[in-house]
Amino acid sequence: MPLSEHEQRMLEQMERALYAEDPKFASALEGSGLRTYTRRRVYQAVAGFLVGIALLMAGMVAKQVWLSVVGFLVMLGCAVLAVTGWRKAPKPGEQPAGAGPQARRQARAKRSLMDRIEQRWQRRRDEQGH
């Protein structure tokens, strides 16, 4: 659901205030989107999968069954993480969205959170006399 003009203005004001108060924190928040997080998680899972292959092969060469089993379990766990992370990653320009009743409850909770943030913002501005 797109934001109304009033909500967009309020969001822009909050962003400007955040940049004015703490530019380092604001710039850190820019790069920490869901897409970046899931991409990083998938890359880590692929690296873990390769480590699992190395453990599996090392166990086979050293004739240590337990090491091969550990390598296989690492590979399996990392494969699951990579697949679930890849599926959860939003497409470029797409907002992550759910379709179930749980997603509706979360959306309602997010709206109430935004309402509380907006109320606090208004109170702060009123106290400062703007």
Side-chain angles (χ1 to χ4, degrees):
M1 174 185 291
L3 297 174
S4 69
E5 289 181 31
H6 174 69
E7 291 171 332
Q8 287 176 348
R9 280 184 297 207
M10 292 299 296
L11 183 60
E12 288 172 6
Q13 287 176 354
M14 292 189 321
E15 288 174 353
R16 281 187 296 232
L18 179 61
Y19 276 108
E21 289 178 17
D22 196 354
K24 185 177 179 182
F25 178 68
S27 63
L29 285 179
E30 280 182 342
S32 64
L34 179 64
R35 184 172 164 82
T36 304
Y37 170 74
T38 53
R39 186 182 307 143
R40 186 179 319 129
R41 182 173 159 196
V42 168
Y43 290 152
Q44 290 171 347
V46 168
F49 187 84
L50 295 175
V51 168
I53 289 175
L55 287 173
L56 180 73
M57 298 303 267
M60 290 174 64
V61 168
K63 295 184 182 178
Q64 298 290 327
V65 175
W66 65 271
L67 188 59
S68 296
V69 170
V70 168
F72 176 75
L73 292 176
V74 168
M75 288 171 50
L76 182 65
C78 289
V80 168
L81 283 176
V83 169
T84 57
W86 194 264
R87 286 183 180 168
K88 289 180 183 179
K91 304 291 184 261
E94 178 183 52
Q95 289 287 65
Q102 183 179 6
R104 288 189 199 111
R105 279 193 297 268
Q106 288 175 345
R108 221 177 290 130
K110 285 181 182 177
R111 269 189 259 132
S112 65
L113 174 68
M114 287 304 294
D115 290 339
R116 287 193 311 252
I117 290 172
E118 187 174 341
Q119 288 171 358
R120 288 179 187 163
W121 179 258
Q122 285 295 339
R123 249 185 284 137
R124 194 178 299 161
R125 288 187 54 89
D126 292 340
E127 289 172 2
Q128 291 178 352
H130 286 103

